[in-house]
Amino acid sequence: MSEEDKIIAEVTNKEYEYGFTTDIESDTAPPGINDDTIRFISAKKNEPAWLLEWRLQAFHAWQEMAEPEWAHVKYDKPDFQGISYYSAPKQKKELASLDELDPELRKTMDKLGISIDEQKRLSGVAVDFVIDSVSVATSFKEKLGELGIIFCSMSDAIQEHPELVRKYIGSVVPQKDNFYAALNSAVFTDGSFCYIPKGVRCPMELSTYFRINEKGTGQFERTLVIADEGSYVSYLEGCTAPQRDENQLHAAVVELVALDRAEIKYSTVQNWYPGDSKGKGGVFNFVTKRGICENHAKISWTQVETGSAVTWKYPSCILKGDHSIGEFYSVAVTNNYQQADTGTKMIHIGRNTKSTIISKGISAGQSQNSYRGLVQINKTATNARNFSQCDSLLMTDRCGAHTFPYIEVNNSTAKVEHEATTSKIGEDQIFYCLQRGIREEKAIALIVNGYAKEVLNKLPMEFAVEAQKLLAISLEGSVG
Amino acid sequence: MEKIIDIQSDKKEKFLAPFDNQQFPVLGAMSTLRRSEARAALDSIPLPHSRQETWKYTRTGKLINAVWNISHKANEVAIDDMKISGLDCYHLVFVNGHYSPTLSDNLTLETGLEVCPMSQCDGDKAAFADRLIQKNENSNAHLFNHFNSAYWTDGLLIKVDANTEIGKPIHIIHKTVGTNSASVFRHVLVAEKSSKVKVIQSFSNGGGSTYNNVLTEAWVAENAQVTIDKIQAENAEGITIAREDVRQESNSTFHINTITASGGFVRNDLAIVVDGENCMTNLYAAYAPQGKELVDNHTVVDHKKAHCESNEAYKGIVYDQATGVFNGKVFVRQDAQKTNAFQQNANILMSDSATMNSKPELEIYADDVKCSHGSTTGQFDEEAVFYLKARGISDKNARQMLVQAFVGDVLDELDDEVRAHVGSLLRF
């Protein structure tokens, strides 16, 4: 076996590092979905009547909808009647401090490398930790509270700030937006809620770790971030999921609202279980993420995607206000039999709006990696400006890299540029490194990191390290 | 939902009815079978609507909702303005979908070149055309391509013998006149080993609304070189659906220039299958829709074998309330290592009501390739306009110069005479 083959075998045989299951007693709804399931979830969460009505509307719309098939992915469709739509860890008692947490839960967090108390003391990151569908621990809440920042689970927000939730929920991603958004609107169990008051600059990175835990449960979180006029927030979301044999469905909705002069930076490191090296198992990630910008507002999406068997995800910006800015930075890595169809939508409505899209795809193994993006310049968007760059890197001769950009221009003052390239790592680049005594494995890591640097640089410090580690794990030596 | 389907199939039947009871030229058993297969496909394929990816930006109501007359032979039409002045070439003329012997050159053109109207093929020629027709058919054919296969009434069979270079270009003139008149053409072009040929297709119409559906099938054998210049200059009432199905064998070159000077509704589909090593494929186009015109260019280059190169440059200037659509797709299959594929789409919008929809796509399954695409849409560089104006050139002339420079690299691909002819058709 040559050195190269050894490396390939090593990487492809590598088991999912974060694959383990936490044993916590759950309160799980029977599988299947109907009006009663939704009433059960709503009652379980003690929700107001308007929200139940809202969920039912979404559910009825969903029943009329067909699963989308336009994406460049192939998979066995999930059985929506075979999924349990509610699973909450049994945790009735209110916690006075984090120390009272279930020891099993603490262990899980430690394995993931998020020691809550350490986070609390050292890093200045508030973690809203979600296991399955219910948020079990929220830290730094008080500190944020002093500034008037609300950062809590969606369930708490519904109880404590119903007026805000009611005003903004569904305002960016309507119930009937698409098949998975409608399903999420009907059955979402929890998620995070964040409100930054006028003129406040959130002093720390807000962060949530999601995990799918209970066997056979889908995860349907709903995140709502509202940045009021002139405020700033940087929000981090990271995902790891334990190893499972059957496919698990993850259909989240994220809504961002950036009011006048507000700025939201939303970063994701996504590492759902991608299935084993034969393509068996893995998480289906069908996510709807969208933000709306008012005048002079800015929304920036940064994502590092290394996980999921099937990804279907298009974080988008509606540039409604004049002078608003949308950004999308993405690194998507697929290995083995992973399939990713991901990209963004930039909808220019306001005058002098700007958007930037930088997408870096890396395909290895027998995976398929697609960029699908829309840049739409509406008639009203005078002087709109867009720059898109989508690069793909191919690591083996059996993987695929695809680009499907949609560019719709309805205003002559617009300037829209799109560039895409596809290539493999240059042999001359590797040769250059080898010549200088850098091993091939290292050389590839070096080149890939350089290739993705533009995006990794946009991540907050706390995440950049983790993202680099993930990239290295996913790719080192997988060149064909 | 069912009601919608009912309305749809009603509409489709009304649209197809006039074409069903015609006399069609018969080549042989195969082409007759192909016709009936295509007719069956017409029944099963739904009418275009915006939810279909290939018709996302293009509305076909004007075509579907009209009642079309099958064009009748009309020999008394003027086609002199369609001839390219100064160009020494063979003229073959079709009026209202039928070959016109009086307007065309004598069919015995030169040795090594066989040209025959599809409606007049008999004996060996008919058998030859029968074998070839639709053999190449691509799986991505849309409703109107099947329409062509079912209802074509005439066209040209062009066969170039091996090791033959045809001295003069073959100019096929398509003229359709009358009100609501429809013409359906099927051309078959075969370039045998190491041959070289150039074909010019030009389209023009007169009178009321016209509908041209033209499908050209081309085989480019080993080491052969084929060039097609397509000149579309219909009026605002003209509807054109054109498709080129091309198959390239190793070491061959295929080059097509699509110039859409005008036309109410123009849809071009290019489907090039590169099925041999060391091939060269060049697709160039310029389009300049004005008024409420629509130009829709779809291209597919399918690289199946290694060491090939393809270049694509589509340049558009969209005026008034016109719409431009570009959808380019490059496939690089797993065996097509060392492919160099380049795709470019550049557009200038001349008015606030103009629309451009661009979708350059890459689907790549091989790793050792260099593929890139670029798409830009914008307006004039005002600084460049200012530069020219500062040198005493009027605003109008300055803009004209810049437009000409913008599409210049596409027009440069044409021969001088063709270029001059196209220059007079483009309304900059």
Side-chain angles (χ1 to χ4, degrees):
Chain A
M1 212 192 242
S2 73
E3 176 69 13
E4 221 173 84
D5 289 339
K6 243 189 258 165
I7 295 164
I8 291 173
E10 197 182 292
V11 172
T12 46
N13 292 336
K14 197 177 174 91
E15 290 294 310
Y16 185 69
E17 270 192 18
Y18 302 106
F20 50 85
T21 314
T22 317
D23 243 339
I24 307 172
E25 235 183 303
S26 279
D27 193 351
T28 304
I33 178 167
N34 52 37
D35 281 19
D36 290 336
T37 320
I38 290 158
R39 288 203 175 89
F40 170 81
I41 295 169
S42 194
K44 204 77 180 154
K45 304 187 72 62
N46 199 16
E47 285 174 0
W50 64 265
L51 193 55
L52 174 63
E53 194 51 39
W54 193 82
R55 283 174 182 274
L56 287 171
Q57 270 174 17
F59 176 62
H60 296 145
W62 177 76
Q63 285 176 309
E64 302 284 311
M65 288 172 153
E67 219 170 315
E69 282 172 352
W70 41 260
H72 193 83
V73 291
K74 282 195 195 97
Y75 58 92
D76 292 330
K77 286 183 182 165
D79 172 14
F80 293 100
Q81 294 303 337
I83 296 170
S84 170
Y85 289 86
Y86 184 80
S87 146
K90 274 190 179 157
Q91 191 96 60
K92 293 275 147 50
K93 206 172 66 166
E94 290 261 316
L95 291 177
S97 80
L98 294 175
D99 300 334
E100 287 178 30
L101 262 179
D102 193 322
E104 277 286 338
L105 215 56
R106 293 296 292 275
K107 238 189 250 167
T108 310
M109 295 182 187
D110 291 342
K111 274 192 214 165
L112 278 174
I114 337 150
S115 149
I116 285 210
D117 14 20
E118 201 175 78
Q119 299 254 5
K120 207 172 169 183
R121 267 188 291 115
L122 299 172
S123 64
V125 176
V127 177
D128 179 19
F129 190 90
V130 174
I131 272 211
D132 274 54
S133 315
V134 175
S135 170
V136 286
T138 307
S139 52
F140 281 95
K141 207 167 160 182
E142 283 163 35
K143 202 176 166 197
L144 292 170
E146 284 166 23
L147 287 162
I149 295 171
I150 304 165
F151 180 45
C152 60
S153 72
M154 198 54 138
S155 332
D156 291 349
I158 289 163
Q159 303 302 332
E160 289 160 30
H161 309 281
E163 72 297 337
L164 278 175
V165 175
R166 192 171 184 176
K167 185 171 172 192
Y168 289 107
I169 196 166
S171 66
V172 188
V173 180
Q175 294 140 288
K176 297 163 194 173
D177 189 75
N178 67 63
F179 184 81
Y180 295 109
L183 179 64
N184 176 287
S185 304
V187 300
F188 74 91
T189 39
D190 212 337
S192 299
F193 176 86
C194 174
Y195 173 81
I196 316 291
K198 269 183 203 178
V200 171
R201 194 181 163 89
C202 184
M204 59 185 87
E205 317 269 353
L206 302 182
S207 145
T208 310
Y209 278 75
F210 293 108
R211 282 175 58 88
I212 295 180
N213 221 29
E214 192 66 18
K215 213 170 177 167
T217 57
Q219 178 112 352
F220 302 93
E221 340 86 0
R222 192 154 186 122
T223 302
L224 181 56
V225 179
I226 303 151
D228 212 329
E229 288 171 25
S231 65
Y232 168 84
V233 64
S234 169
Y235 191 94
L236 285 66
E237 172 203 42
C239 311
T240 53
Q243 185 157 351
R244 288 290 182 209
D245 269 340
E246 76 268 44
N247 289 309
Q248 290 178 313
L249 176 67
H250 178 252
V253 169
V254 176
E255 294 178 282
L256 308 185
V257 181
L259 297 178
D260 288 0
R261 296 182 311 284
E263 182 179 344
I264 301 176
K265 190 175 157 72
Y266 194 101
S267 314
T268 310
V269 171
Q270 193 260 85
N271 185 26
W272 298 110
Y273 176 50
D276 64 15
S277 59
K278 303 274 186 323
K280 194 166 170 271
V283 172
F284 289 172
N285 193 21
F286 302 135
V287 182
T288 310
K289 292 184 168 182
R290 198 175 300 152
I292 191 162
C293 290
E294 298 290 346
N295 293 337
H296 294 275
K298 177 177 173 183
I299 287 179
S300 175
W301 297 99
T302 308
Q303 58 171 18
V304 175
E305 301 260 340
T306 61
S308 291
V310 181
T311 305
W312 183 98
K313 178 179 177 186
Y314 314 92
S316 311
C317 297
I318 301 171
L319 303 173
K320 184 180 158 210
D322 296 348
H323 303 277
S324 56
I325 298 170
E327 288 177 351
F328 174 77
Y329 300 98
S330 163
V331 176
V333 183
T334 54
N335 204 347
N336 298 324
Y337 285 88
Q338 276 176 271
Q339 304 174 70
D341 194 300
T342 181
T344 182
K345 288 184 190 176
M346 293 290 173
I347 315 286
H348 291 254
I349 300 171
R351 283 178 291 133
N352 302 315
T353 46
K354 273 191 252 174
S355 63
T356 307
I357 300 170
I358 308 284
S359 166
K360 306 270 183 186
I362 303 167
S363 351
Q366 314 201 8
S367 63
Q368 301 295 333
N369 198 334
S370 309
Y371 167 82
R372 186 184 301 276
L374 168 71
V375 175
Q376 191 183 67
I377 313 287
N378 286 283
K379 264 202 173 59
T380 47
T382 307
N383 287 326
R385 184 86 177 84
N386 162 265
F387 175 76
S388 313
Q389 190 184 340
C390 319
D391 296 329
S392 307
L393 202 58
L394 294 151
M395 310 292 279
T396 70
D397 58 0
R398 280 172 303 166
C399 57
H402 319 299
T403 323
F404 307 100
Y406 293 67
I407 301 153
E408 305 176 7
V409 186
N410 293 301
N411 187 309
S412 68
T413 57
K415 271 194 192 156
V416 181
E417 291 169 84
H418 172 93
E419 267 185 341
T421 61
T422 304
S423 56
K424 71 175 208 171
I425 290 185
E427 276 162 29
D428 48 346
Q429 288 174 326
I430 293 178
F431 178 72
Y432 182 92
C433 294
L434 288 176
Q435 218 191 12
R436 274 147 189 82
I438 300 166
R439 279 179 299 121
E440 184 166 15
E441 200 184 333
K442 276 260 160 113
I444 289 159
L446 192 73
I447 294 163
V448 167
N449 254 315
Y451 169 79
K453 194 106 223 158
E454 221 176 321
V455 174
L456 296 179
N457 275 347
K458 298 285 171 186
L459 284 173
M461 263 297 281
E462 289 84 349
F463 257 21
V465 181
E466 192 175 341
Q468 259 167 13
K469 247 196 263 170
L470 272 175
L471 269 189
I473 289 169
S474 313
L475 278 174
E476 258 176 23
S478 61
V479 70
Chain B
M1 197 65 192
E2 264 173 26
K3 208 171 173 185
I4 295 167
I5 291 166
D6 277 354
I7 295 167
Q8 287 265 310
S9 60
D10 251 23
K11 256 194 193 173
K12 194 157 71 181
E13 261 168 46
K14 267 193 200 142
F15 169 60
L16 298 177
F19 298 94
D20 265 329
N21 304 309
Q22 281 187 92
Q23 284 289 314
F24 298 108
V26 177
L27 297 171
M30 191 51 87
S31 64
T32 312
L33 175 69
R34 297 292 191 208
R35 275 195 201 274
S36 58
E37 280 174 0
R39 184 62 188 83
L42 287 180
D43 280 335
S44 62
I45 298 174
L47 285 177
H49 55 80
S50 58
R51 306 282 292 178
Q52 288 170 0
E53 198 64 27
T54 44
W55 297 104
K56 191 170 160 62
Y57 302 114
T58 306
R59 298 288 80 82
T60 54
K62 218 161 75 173
L63 170 55
I64 300 288
N65 298 329
V67 179
W68 297 101
N69 302 314
I70 312 307
S71 318
H72 297 293
K73 292 186 187 183
N75 285 334
E76 300 303 313
V77 294
I79 49 136
D80 284 347
D81 59 330
M82 293 178 73
K83 289 187 176 169
I84 296 160
S85 64
L87 185 71
D88 186 15
C89 60
Y90 302 119
H91 290 110
L92 295 151
V93 183
F94 289 85
V95 178
N96 283 6
H98 296 280
Y99 176 67
S100 165
T102 51
L103 293 170
S104 305
D105 292 354
N106 194 318
L107 283 175
T108 325
L109 297 171
E110 64 177 85
T111 46
L113 173 64
E114 214 169 88
V115 175
C116 183
M118 296 285 271
S119 58
Q120 292 175 23
C121 287
D122 52 11
D124 286 352
K125 281 180 204 159
F128 182 71
D130 190 48
R131 267 208 316 281
L132 289 177
I133 205 145
Q134 234 176 309
K135 199 176 137 195
N136 202 6
E137 184 135 56
N138 228 296
S139 53
N140 61 10
H142 57 68
L143 185 85
F144 301 107
N145 302 141
H146 289 293
F147 179 93
N148 185 291
S149 299
Y151 301 128
W152 62 267
T153 53
D154 213 340
L156 271 190
L157 170 68
I158 302 173
K159 181 170 166 276
V160 185
D161 287 347
N163 306 315
T164 310
E165 181 175 344
I166 303 304
K168 298 197 249 176
I170 302 165
H171 188 184
I172 312 173
I173 292 174
H174 306 74
K175 178 98 182 179
T176 305
V177 292
T179 306
N180 283 7
S181 69
S183 308
V184 187
F185 303 96
R186 183 68 158 229
H187 301 304
V188 175
L189 168 64
V190 181
E192 302 273 21
K193 258 188 195 175
S194 306
S195 64
K196 187 174 176 184
V197 65
K198 177 168 196 165
V199 176
I200 302 168
Q201 296 187 354
S202 55
F203 298 86
S204 158
N205 67 336
S209 55
T210 58
Y211 164 38
N212 274 329
N213 187 322
V214 52
L215 202 159
T216 307
E217 291 180 79
W219 280 266
V220 190
E222 228 171 274
N223 210 25
Q225 295 179 36
V226 171
T227 305
I228 296 178
D229 289 342
K230 198 158 71 164
I231 304 164
Q232 299 170 319
E234 302 209 317
N235 62 25
E237 300 278 300
I239 295 174
T240 301
I241 305 271
R243 180 184 175 96
E244 275 77 25
D245 260 322
V246 182
R247 182 170 291 268
Q248 279 185 266
E249 288 174 15
S250 53
N251 300 312
S252 65
T253 302
F254 177 76
H255 188 123
I256 183 164
N257 302 309
T258 310
I259 313 294
T260 311
S262 57
F265 176 105
V266 181
R267 164 70 178 246
N268 290 311
D269 282 83
L270 297 185
I272 324 283
V273 177
V274 187
D275 202 8
E277 296 194 350
N278 301 315
C279 287
M280 180 79 179
T281 311
N282 294 316
L283 317 177
Y284 289 91
Y287 44 94
Q290 299 190 356
K292 288 185 172 168
E293 294 174 344
L294 177 142
V295 179
D296 181 348
N297 280 304
H298 273 60
T299 68
V300 178
V301 180
D302 191 348
H303 285 285
K304 288 189 185 265
K305 297 281 159 68
H307 301 283
C308 291
E309 194 176 327
S310 67
N311 288 304
E312 197 171 345
Y314 272 67
K315 295 213 159 179
I317 300 151
V318 189
Y319 294 85
D320 308 331
Q321 294 120 56
T323 307
V325 179
F326 172 76
N327 187 344
K329 189 154 204 160
V330 176
F331 282 103
V332 179
R333 304 288 174 189
Q334 208 168 313
D335 295 334
Q337 298 291 356
K338 306 274 179 199
T339 297
N340 276 353
F342 178 69
Q343 192 187 51
Q344 194 204 352
N345 176 229
N347 304 289
I348 294 182
L349 296 183
M350 299 293 275
S351 112
D352 266 353
S353 315
T355 303
M356 183 65 215
N357 298 305
S358 173
K359 197 173 148 219
E361 298 176 60
L362 293 172
E363 258 189 62
I364 293 162
Y365 299 90
D367 66 329
D368 195 2
V369 298
K370 275 191 195 136
C371 296
S372 61
H373 67 199
S375 172
T376 57
T377 302
Q379 58 181 343
F380 266 125
D381 181 355
E382 287 304 325
E383 276 179 36
V385 177
F386 175 76
Y387 179 92
L388 292 170
K389 278 160 83 174
R391 273 145 191 84
I393 297 165
S394 74
D395 187 79
K396 195 177 162 224
N397 283 348
R399 282 171 202 274
Q400 243 168 25
M401 271 168 89
L402 288 169
V403 166
Q404 263 159 11
F406 176 70
V407 294
D409 52 350
V410 173
L411 300 184
D412 280 347
E413 297 295 322
L414 302 166
D415 290 341
D416 289 350
E417 295 84 2
V418 183
R419 193 191 157 128
H421 178 72
V422 164
S424 69
L425 293 172
L426 288 167
R427 305 154 292 174
F428 294 147

